Amino acid sequence: MGGLDRSVMRLPLVAVVALALSACASQKFRPVSDTPVRIGKPYTVRGVTYTPAPDPNLDVLGYASWYGSESGNRVALGERFRPKWVTAAHPTLPLPSYVEVTSLETGRTIVVRVNDRGPFARGRVIDLSRGAAEQLGAKRAGVIPVRVRIVDPPEKDRKRLRRGKPARERERVSDQALANLRAQLAAGVRQGLVQAP
């Protein structure tokens, strides 16, 4: 009788595990594609309202962080989150978008595909995937100063990013230009125009 009771008690647990596994297997992800582009409605996170919109002149200085996991493994665009891919999160750009991210520490510049929303932390202008942080040389640092500019890369680079491969690395910023960008960022922080993390 004790054995019968245990087996009866196990059945619901087995059923729950089976249901959970079938739910995971049936989870649908959007195929990785640049169409259709999604803008989305305004949304509020932690009391701040964000209004997604195209920004053809986006060129900002600020701070980037990186993330290696994503809740539910799904990004805002509906695609599967792949930490090793060169992707990023931005609070308002259309999804997907492409941006050029320059590390103000090293001058290294990469192209990143934006397919997620965020970051929602003080002073951050973009959240990089682990793959993007590694390509930028920023994985060891939690937060780095960056310049983020909207770009329209050639289809060859877009295709590589859609397949999880990095786009061709761009030329490093010259020492003089890098010093100028750092000075602009420092001035922005002093004037309260840029939030330091």
Side-chain angles (χ1 to χ4, degrees):
M1 187 165 163
L4 180 61
D5 289 341
R6 275 188 236 118
S7 64
V8 169
M9 289 174 65
R10 277 190 221 128
L11 281 176
L13 179 60
V14 170
V16 168
V17 170
L19 284 172
L21 289 175
S22 67
C24 290
S26 66
Q27 188 175 20
K28 301 275 186 193
F29 294 99
R30 176 184 171 185
V32 178
S33 172
D34 284 352
T35 57
V37 173
R38 295 183 181 173
I39 294 176
K41 297 178 180 178
Y43 63 98
T44 303
V45 176
R46 297 180 193 145
V48 178
T49 299
Y50 300 91
T51 304
D55 188 353
N57 300 313
L58 178 78
D59 187 347
V60 297
L61 298 173
Y63 295 89
S65 50
W66 67 273
Y67 60 119
S69 62
E70 176 66 22
S71 175
N73 292 325
R74 183 192 297 267
V75 296
L77 192 53
E79 299 170 351
R80 181 186 296 275
F81 177 68
R82 295 173 173 95
K84 294 182 180 179
W85 287 27
V86 182
T87 59
H90 188 276
T92 58
L93 284 175
L95 301 177
S97 290
Y98 291 88
V99 295
E100 182 182 83
V101 181
T102 300
S103 167
L104 300 190
E105 292 180 343
T106 65
R108 185 180 290 179
T109 300
I110 63 171
V111 175
V112 177
R113 184 172 181 266
V114 177
N115 67 350
D116 203 3
R117 289 287 177 229
F120 305 115
R122 181 177 186 266
R124 312 293 200 281
V125 293
I126 196 163
D127 224 354
L128 304 171
S129 67
R130 186 174 68 215
E134 286 174 350
Q135 189 187 7
L136 197 58
K139 190 179 172 216
R140 290 187 180 169
V143 179
I144 62 163
V146 292
R147 178 186 192 185
V148 178
R149 296 192 311 154
I150 194 84
V151 292
D152 185 14
E155 178 56 28
K156 185 175 182 179
D157 285 342
R158 291 171 179 257
K159 189 174 183 180
R160 287 184 59 80
L161 288 164
R162 287 194 306 267
R163 291 183 174 177
K165 308 291 183 193
R168 292 168 293 158
E169 192 169 319
R170 300 196 168 194
E171 282 188 42
R172 288 179 185 255
V173 175
S174 71
D175 290 342
Q176 182 177 358
L178 201 53
N180 185 34
L181 290 170
R182 289 173 182 156
Q184 288 179 48
L185 178 60
V189 170
R190 280 194 309 273
Q191 296 166 14
L193 302 173
V194 177
Q195 287 186 328

